[in-house]
Amino acid sequence: MTGSLKRILLGEQGLVVIFAIAFAVVSLTVPNFLTERNMLGLLQSVVTIGIVACTMMFCLASRDFDLSVGSIVAFSGMVAVMASNATGSIPLGLLIAVGFGTFVGFVNGVVIAKLKINALITTLATMQIVRGLALISSDGRAVGIKDASFYQLALSKFLGVPTPIWVMVALFVIFGFVLNRTVFGRNTLAIGGNPEASRLAGVNVDWMRIWIFTLQGLVCAIAGILLASRITSGQPNAATGLELSVISACVLGGVSLAGGRAAITGVIVGVLILGIAENVMNLLNIQAFYQYVVRGLILLLAVLLDNLRSRSLGRR
Amino acid sequence: MTHFLEFSNISKGYPGVQALSDISFGIGKGRVHGLMGENGAGKSTLIKILSGDTRADTGEIRIEGAAQNFHSTRDAFAARVTVVHQELQLVPGLTVAENLRLGHFPAKAGVISFRELVEDVGSKLRDIGIDVDPRTKVAALSIGERQMIEIAKAVMQDARVIALDEPTSSLSSRESEILFRLIDRLRGQGKVILYISHRLDEIFRLCDGCTVLRDGRLAAHHATMEGVTRDQIVSEMVGREISDIWGWRGRAIGEVRLKVAGLSGTRLPKPVSFEARSGEILGFFGLVGAGRSELMRLVYGADSRAAGSVSIDGRPVAASDPRQSIRAGLVLCPEDRKFDGIVQGRSVSDNISISARRHFSPFGILNLGKEAALADGFIQSLRIRTPSRKQDIVNLSGGNQQKVILARWLAEENVKVLIVDEPTRGIDVGAKAEIYDLLYSLAEKGLAIVVVSSELPEVMGISDRVAVMCGGGIAATFDRPEFNERAILAAALPDRSAAEPIQKVS
């Protein structure tokens, strides 16, 4: 009995099983948890993390790292607002914002792949540069939205579910497919497994890394636009510390920081675990300060579990 | 009669594999004992149990009659058992002396006394018979020297049992000879040495007795090597008689396929030129440091070229880029499988299809059915021993990993030139024969095959022509009828008059 339990918990789908159990327990014990309203609120609250986690998964799977995501999210949100205000056209504003995020990601990628600068250092630098630009361009204040239809990005619903959640789900599906079913995804995992062997096997490693960071920038811009719409302004201080939450969610979901191992189901579960923990603590009126402690503990537990799992799989 | 080191009824199973079943044998004090077997025969598992890395399901190890119960490598260390692995475990950035005393530096109030450290280690190295300056950084040592230091570490830790796992796999023959003398000295000091090697000549040169494992079982145990023949051991390893493991067969040799002209790079400053023909197996022999692998990496485009050109069937291969080479039909199985060959953590199937999958992926979307069929096809045709195509490649034995790398290139259908650097390093006799056979059949299909090897019998056994490298250039070439061990070796040896002045004169 204990043997089979152990096998389930430490098996491939162990995290999903644990998540399902935790979800069931929380549903039964926490009042107002399993209501449509709360569920949608919960999903809304993880939209930014969830969207950015899609491409962070690729970054980590290829043995890279991106700390600049929070800054890109904040600044591209502001760019969307400012450009919409200036041009009077929301679609044009969004396009400029997406272009901007993509450009920052591309710069990250080129510096890392071509100039061979460590990803941690490069994105630490761009994180600060982009945050600085956000503060400079707005003089440190929030930028208000002139055209009220900008709010509709976050407020509009389809089949009763807000648009941002649909966007997140769509990105989960797309990037899950890309990871497992495309040459791009497999090559990402191969680079993470052994970059030099991948290069010698004909994988264009530099090109792949530039693409991964460019996609990361693009996806951050999408997250930034939705966030700006939800908080009804472009805020230079938005999404601070986002990079750590996103990396936590990925690690929770079994993405290996050593590269070569990632799965979209894991990332989704990781994102939801973070969301549920926060949601439940809010419902139980636990002071926000405790939430940091709980999040840290969850992360440690997840990593310990992962460690046990790889040990039980065993090295021959 | 009790032995110094005794394995008693050891069994160990992994999910799906019985790695060892009921292994019992003993080794007396002051004996060097060979442990042989094909890859996957259970040698590594037995060594892991001896080193405390894993635990046996049943059975026990006894040393000087006392049963040992190793829960970890620390326990084995405390029982004075040391295993010197193929992958050495020295810190490259530290000096020899620091490495040897790591964890117990001579220190006063936490401050290391480097003079004492260097003097102490230096005198111990001299005692053991190793001529290396203790102040040298390990990174600056050759692999052979590092191996010596690793063994010195075992001796300095006062090990009673030392297991050496394929110690000569990356040593030149001169370095090997120094190692053998060291082992002879340790034998004289009453150590028990378990010597794992694929090289039969070494077993006969060194060992007092040997044990052969096959499929996790004890195939044979020879307490002494008297009256034991090579053929006998080979047949015990594979369970069948192999008379000629090379099995060379003649074939028609056609036009020039690979033409390398005046090629040079940072690590190979002198320009090198050679040609290989369709249907030909061109062997490259040379001592360690002769520049063989460097040349092959330049040809393939793994390192960037300074000058020179490479062409296939008369068409030049554009840039220094592996992708261009692959598209032109020029592929390389690298020397170092672990660092340059396999993609760790990924499946056998992924490792096979990594390059060829672009052919069956319209718009970059994989055809999973084709990918699986491709992998299963090669697993069957090359007899890759794996529970399934989904198995992580690191769990395969060296020979099977090599087959996966070969399959990776065979999946590229237009391969014209195949370069294989050390095709059988760390691979057992049975798998070797399979790989040679594969190379012959590829040559018969008209490929030009370049084989780099540091084993002279192998180069002579399988090549149609041999190019001998020395000091970064091709010193001589020999056609098969002219093959002569002494002549080839002589061509590979550096010119003494040129080499001597570099040695210290003082």
Side-chain angles (χ1 to χ4, degrees):
Chain A
M1 177 62 212
T2 51
S4 62
L5 184 72
K6 202 172 150 190
R7 209 167 313 134
I8 291 170
L9 292 185
L10 296 181
E12 198 103 322
Q13 301 300 325
L15 192 74
V16 179
V17 173
I18 291 172
F19 171 73
I21 294 169
F23 189 86
V25 169
V26 168
S27 304
L28 292 173
T29 54
V30 179
N32 301 325
F33 178 76
L34 199 63
T35 59
E36 190 191 334
R37 211 178 107 102
N38 187 52
M39 282 296 111
L40 288 179
L42 192 162
L43 289 175
Q44 284 262 40
S45 74
V46 296
V47 160
T48 309
I49 294 179
I51 289 177
V52 178
C54 286
T55 39
M56 185 64 88
M57 171 176 80
F58 280 77
C59 250
L60 298 178
S62 66
R63 245 191 235 187
D64 272 325
F65 222 80
D66 192 347
L67 293 178
S68 65
V69 291
S71 302
I72 303 180
V73 165
F75 197 27
S76 44
M78 290 178 57
V79 169
V81 173
M82 293 188 295
S84 298
N85 289 350
T87 62
S89 156
I90 292 176
L92 195 60
L94 301 189
L95 207 65
I96 292 171
V98 168
F100 170 78
T102 310
F103 174 73
V104 177
F106 176 74
V107 170
N108 275 337
V110 170
V111 172
I112 291 163
K114 290 293 179 193
L115 306 182
K116 313 277 177 212
I117 312 279
N118 180 296
L120 202 71
I121 305 298
T122 306
T123 58
L124 189 63
T126 43
M127 165 176 135
Q128 301 183 69
I129 294 169
V130 173
R131 182 71 70 182
L133 291 177
L135 289 162
I136 292 166
S137 62
S138 65
D139 210 9
R141 285 189 293 267
V143 183
I145 297 168
K146 281 185 190 159
D147 185 346
S149 56
F150 194 94
Y151 304 146
Q152 286 307 311
L153 291 171
L155 290 176
S156 61
K157 289 187 174 181
F158 177 68
L159 299 177
V161 175
T163 312
I165 297 178
W166 284 113
V167 173
M168 176 174 73
V169 170
L171 290 174
F172 280 150
V173 172
I174 292 170
F175 283 104
F177 182 84
V178 170
L179 184 69
N180 295 315
R181 297 290 309 273
T182 67
V183 173
F184 183 82
R186 290 290 188 78
N187 284 355
T188 301
L189 291 163
I191 292 174
N194 187 342
E196 182 59 11
S198 301
R199 186 178 78 90
L200 294 181
V203 175
N204 193 340
V205 177
D206 289 353
W207 184 87
M208 287 288 303
R209 295 175 91 187
I210 292 174
W211 262 105
I212 289 169
F213 279 97
T214 306
L215 278 176
Q216 174 89 74
L218 183 142
V219 162
C220 283
I222 295 174
I225 290 166
L226 293 173
L227 184 66
S229 169
R230 197 170 128 231
I231 58 181
T232 67
S233 61
Q235 303 249 16
N237 287 317
T240 41
L242 176 72
E243 56 284 344
L244 298 183
S245 308
V246 172
I247 292 168
S248 299
C250 288
V251 172
L252 267 174
V255 178
S256 164
L257 288 184
R261 202 154 55 85
I264 192 75
T265 45
V267 170
I268 294 172
V269 167
V271 167
L272 290 179
I273 287 177
L274 284 187
I276 288 175
E278 193 181 316
N279 181 268
V280 164
M281 285 187 284
N282 285 339
L283 289 175
L284 297 176
N285 283 323
I286 295 172
Q287 207 187 358
F289 302 151
Y290 287 93
Q291 299 189 1
Y292 288 102
V293 179
V294 172
R295 255 200 246 173
L297 288 175
I298 290 176
L299 185 62
L300 270 184
L301 279 174
V303 175
L304 280 174
L305 182 80
D306 189 56
N307 204 346
L308 285 176
R309 176 161 46 221
S310 36
R311 233 183 291 169
S312 80
L313 285 176
R315 301 148 291 145
R316 290 268 159 89
Chain B
M1 162 189 155
T2 54
H3 292 284
F4 190 88
L5 168 67
E6 203 160 0
F7 295 93
S8 168
N9 307 100
I10 304 261
S11 293
K12 171 78 187 175
Y14 289 109
V17 193
Q18 188 63 33
L20 289 175
S21 355
D22 202 24
I23 302 293
S24 302
F25 67 94
I27 308 171
K29 192 170 165 66
R31 310 276 284 180
V32 178
H33 193 84
L35 181 62
M36 319 225 15
E38 292 197 71
N39 286 345
K43 293 172 308 206
S44 320
T45 311
L46 194 64
I47 292 303
K48 277 189 180 173
I49 292 169
L50 179 65
S51 69
D53 203 0
T54 48
R55 299 188 64 191
D57 297 336
T58 58
E60 62 181 12
I61 292 172
R62 284 192 289 271
I63 299 177
E64 293 188 89
Q68 306 292 324
N69 191 10
F70 298 157
H71 287 270
S72 69
T73 46
R74 204 166 261 279
D75 292 345
F77 181 79
R80 290 157 57 203
V81 173
T82 303
V83 175
V84 178
H85 290 281
Q86 264 169 297
E87 288 86 36
L88 303 179
Q89 290 158 358
L90 299 171
V91 185
L94 296 184
T95 64
V96 168
E98 286 165 335
N99 264 287
L100 288 176
R101 293 291 297 269
L102 206 59
H104 23 88
F105 287 131
K108 280 200 183 87
V111 179
I112 299 173
S113 158
F114 279 99
R115 237 184 59 194
E116 196 188 327
L117 177 70
V118 168
E119 279 169 9
D120 174 55
V121 170
S123 77
K124 290 214 168 106
L125 286 179
R126 274 192 299 281
D127 286 351
I128 303 169
I130 296 175
D131 180 27
V132 170
D133 185 339
R135 287 165 297 185
T136 324
K137 286 238 162 76
V138 164
L141 298 180
S142 71
I143 296 184
E145 288 168 323
R146 292 186 204 190
Q147 190 95 46
M148 305 286 174
I149 300 303
E150 195 79 60
I151 294 169
K153 196 161 121 191
V155 175
M156 284 173 65
Q157 287 159 352
D158 200 22
R160 318 182 261 186
V161 175
I162 301 175
L164 301 172
D165 191 1
E166 292 277 350
T168 57
S169 64
S170 39
L171 300 194
S172 67
S173 47
R174 198 179 62 87
E175 287 174 319
S176 300
E177 199 44 52
I178 298 173
L179 175 76
F180 298 158
R181 262 180 266 146
L182 174 58
I183 293 173
D184 284 335
R185 290 178 72 131
L186 296 177
R187 179 193 346 240
Q189 292 168 13
K191 310 277 186 205
V192 168
I193 303 210
L194 194 56
Y195 190 87
I196 299 149
S197 178
H198 286 125
R199 299 185 184 180
L200 285 167
D201 46 341
E202 292 177 8
I203 299 289
F204 281 96
R205 153 77 175 78
L206 273 179
C207 296
D208 304 304
C210 81
T211 296
V212 182
L213 300 181
R214 186 172 70 226
D215 299 328
R217 293 169 191 284
L218 190 80
H221 177 73
H222 306 283
T224 138
M225 296 303 281
E226 261 167 62
V228 180
T229 65
R230 299 168 72 97
D231 289 347
Q232 186 183 351
I233 290 184
V234 171
S235 59
E236 283 162 357
M237 282 169 71
V238 297
R240 70 194 135 139
E241 304 280 340
I242 295 184
S243 50
D244 172 15
I245 67 161
W246 317 117
W248 182 85
R249 41 185 199 251
R251 68 199 90 78
I253 290 176
E255 295 301 302
V256 172
R257 297 215 87 163
L258 171 70
K259 188 172 163 62
V260 173
L263 199 61
S264 66
T266 9
R267 293 200 293 157
L268 199 77
K270 283 186 279 182
V272 178
S273 306
F274 70 92
E275 292 175 351
R277 290 168 174 275
S278 166
E280 183 182 39
I281 297 182
L282 171 61
F284 266 84
F285 177 74
L287 302 178
V288 172
R292 295 161 304 170
S293 300
E294 288 79 0
L295 175 61
M296 296 312 151
R297 286 179 63 92
L298 278 179
V299 172
Y300 181 56
D303 298 330
S304 52
R305 296 172 197 154
S309 69
V310 174
S311 55
I312 291 172
D313 292 344
R315 246 166 293 154
V317 182
S320 300
D321 180 358
R323 285 183 311 128
Q324 300 288 344
S325 303
I326 295 167
R327 279 163 178 71
L330 167 66
V331 296
L332 168 77
C333 297
E335 177 189 20
D336 194 326
R337 270 197 304 277
K338 191 175 160 196
F339 289 102
D340 297 333
I342 63 170
V343 179
Q344 291 87 350
R346 306 305 304 164
S347 66
V348 169
S349 160
D350 222 359
N351 269 281
I352 291 176
S353 74
I354 182 166
S355 174
R357 58 191 170 206
R358 66 198 150 87
H359 297 305
F360 50 82
S361 305
F363 306 106
I365 294 169
L366 281 170
N367 182 331
L368 295 187
K370 270 200 184 150
E371 188 186 37
L374 183 79
D376 285 340
F378 280 115
I379 288 170
Q380 207 164 37
S381 64
L382 301 188
R383 280 185 283 157
I384 299 172
R385 266 187 250 160
T386 171
S388 93
R389 64 170 185 276
K390 292 178 181 156
Q391 178 75 340
D392 184 341
I393 190 159
V394 296
N395 293 329
L396 267 61
S397 67
N400 286 307
Q401 288 179 350
Q402 185 70 290
K403 289 184 194 169
V404 169
I405 308 277
L406 282 163
R408 173 186 295 173
W409 296 133
L410 301 183
E412 285 283 341
E413 278 151 9
N414 74 334
V415 173
K416 300 183 177 86
V417 178
L418 171 67
I419 306 175
V420 197
D421 199 345
E422 300 288 355
T424 61
R425 173 172 289 175
I427 291 177
D428 58 79
V429 180
K432 268 185 186 176
E434 287 180 344
I435 286 171
Y436 298 145
D437 206 49
L438 179 63
L439 295 179
Y440 301 140
S441 59
L442 292 172
E444 275 156 16
K445 284 184 194 148
L447 272 71
I449 296 181
V450 178
V451 173
V452 176
S453 175
S454 45
E455 288 184 49
L456 187 50
E458 177 174 86
V459 172
M460 291 174 55
I462 66 172
S463 309
D464 303 308
R465 193 157 61 94
V466 168
V468 182
M469 284 193 79
C470 176
I474 295 178
T477 56
F478 299 83
D479 286 324
R480 192 165 178 94
E482 315 165 344
F483 282 1
N484 172 317
E485 201 163 337
R486 293 182 69 102
I488 293 179
L489 204 56
L493 289 170
D495 186 358
R496 285 188 165 271
S497 56
E500 219 104 64
I502 305 166
Q503 306 290 320
K504 49 189 167 192
V505 188
S506 57

